[in-house]
Amino acid sequence: QVSLMTWAFVRSMKRHLSPPDEDEDAYIEEINSRLSPSQAEAIASATHRPNRALYDLSVAIDKLPMHFMRKNEINKNLSIFEDT
């Protein structure tokens, strides 16, 4: 799930930085084919799609079976992406 959500974030950022007429249809098709219907809809309908994908990535990381201190460090690094 983490790798899929990482892909969703990167793909959403690419779409965010591309002209709508150049990438929108391909973007929607790709996220619908790779993500669950509810996740695809949540990202596609978000005001800021990269932030929504980043949230989903954070949730996936939180579900990993690792010590909470490691999860906190990973989430700190994710916040750098959100701030840029």
Side-chain angles (χ1 to χ4, degrees), residues 2-17:
V2 172
S3 64
L4 188 58
M5 291 301 103
T6 301
W7 172 84
F9 169 70
V10 172
R11 186 61 182 92
S12 295
M13 185 59 77
K14 177 185 174 195
R15 169 61 204 97
H16 185 71
L17 297 173

Side-chain angles (χ1 to χ4, degrees), residues 18 23 34 37 39 50 72 75 77:
S18 301
D23 194 36
R34 294 188 184 197
Q39 280 185 319
N72 287 346
N75 279 320
N77 290 326

Side-chain angles (χ1 to χ4, degrees), residues 47-79:
T47 303
H48 194 278
R49 292 168 172 171
N51 277 351
R52 174 57 202 218
L54 201 58
Y55 166 77
D56 289 341
L57 176 55
S58 181
V59 169
I61 289 167
D62 195 47
K63 292 179 181 178
L64 290 173
M66 68 171 61
H67 194 272
F68 77 94
M69 293 296 285
R70 285 188 179 189
K71 291 179 191 180
N72 287 346
E73 289 302 312
I74 293 170
N75 279 320
K76 277 191 217 175
N77 290 326
L78 284 181
S79 68

